[in-house]
Amino acid sequence: MLDPGLFHVLLLALAALATAGLAGVAWRHRDRPGALSFTAAMVGVTVWNLTDVLAMTQTGAGHLFWERVQWLAIAAVPPLLFLFMAEFTGYRSYIPRRAVPFLFVVPAVSLVLVWTNPAHGLMWTNPAPIATGGVGTRYQAVGPSFRVPGPCAHRLFAAGFPRL
């Protein structure tokens, strides 16, 4: 019988291959609306899956390192998918070019909080290593700023775009 942890890692690796393939197909059709942002988003999801696999196969400091590297993709994918949807549906003209970097402000703040978390504990607290199904995971109680990016981003997006 296949160990549940190994099965989970294999599924994540398969998902990484699938999203890398999607990125390759989108790159070949980069002249189409939304293809470049979709390619970037799929590369981000691929990195997210691969770093999750690496984190699960490591223990101790290696596990924490790959969890933090994983946040590079976690932070970048939502704004990239938003840009893809806007471009693909024809609403890209509602987003001024100079406003695009502001989509990445909340993710950048989240990254800073993740990498400096040992100093302040705002993203998560009390990390405790646990082994589930043969893979290394970590229980972490969420800190006060863990849920802030979602509601903040929702308010920013809802205020600036026309209703359909």
Side-chain angles (χ1 to χ4, degrees), residues 35-90:
L36 291 177
S37 53
F38 184 76
T39 301
M42 289 302 102
V43 167
V45 173
T46 302
V47 170
W48 189 343
N49 286 326
L50 290 176
T51 53
D52 202 16
V53 166
L54 290 170
M56 286 183 183
T57 58
Q58 302 288 318
T59 57
H63 180 83
L64 284 174
F65 172 77
W66 288 113
E67 272 195 6
R68 288 188 181 127
V69 171
Q70 183 179 31
W71 273 84
L72 294 168
I74 291 171
V77 167
L80 290 169
L81 285 175
F82 176 77
L83 288 171
F84 161 68
M85 289 184 287
E87 290 172 19
F88 189 75
T89 57

Side-chain angles (χ1 to χ4, degrees), residues 24-154:
V25 169
W27 180 253
R28 280 187 271 147
H29 299 282
R30 59 186 171 272
D31 57 330
R32 306 276 174 88
L36 291 177
S37 53
F38 184 76
T39 301
M42 289 302 102
V43 167
V45 173
T46 302
V47 170
W48 189 343
N49 286 326
L50 290 176
T51 53
D52 202 16
V53 166
L54 290 170
M56 286 183 183
T57 58
Q58 302 288 318
T59 57
H63 180 83
L64 284 174
F65 172 77
W66 288 113
E67 272 195 6
R68 288 188 181 127
V69 171
Q70 183 179 31
W71 273 84
L72 294 168
I74 291 171
V77 167
L80 290 169
L81 285 175
F82 176 77
L83 288 171
F84 161 68
M85 289 184 287
E87 290 172 19
F88 189 75
T89 57
Y91 285 93
R92 179 65 175 88
S93 61
Y94 288 103
I95 306 169
R97 197 181 258 325
R98 66 180 184 273
V100 171
F102 291 106
L103 295 174
F104 293 90
V105 168
V106 172
V109 170
S110 297
L111 277 176
V112 170
L113 289 174
V114 163
W115 283 93
T116 60
N117 189 67
H120 50 69
L122 291 173
M123 287 299 279
W124 53 76
T125 58
N126 304 326
I130 55 174
T132 306
V135 296
T137 59
R138 195 169 283 281
Y139 171 78
Q140 302 176 87
V142 296
S145 68
F146 185 83
R147 290 188 175 91
V148 170
C152 283
H154 173 70

Side-chain angles (χ1 to χ4, degrees), residues 91 94 154 157-164:
Y91 285 93
Y94 288 103
H154 173 70
F157 291 141
F161 297 102
R163 300 203 187 272
L164 300 176

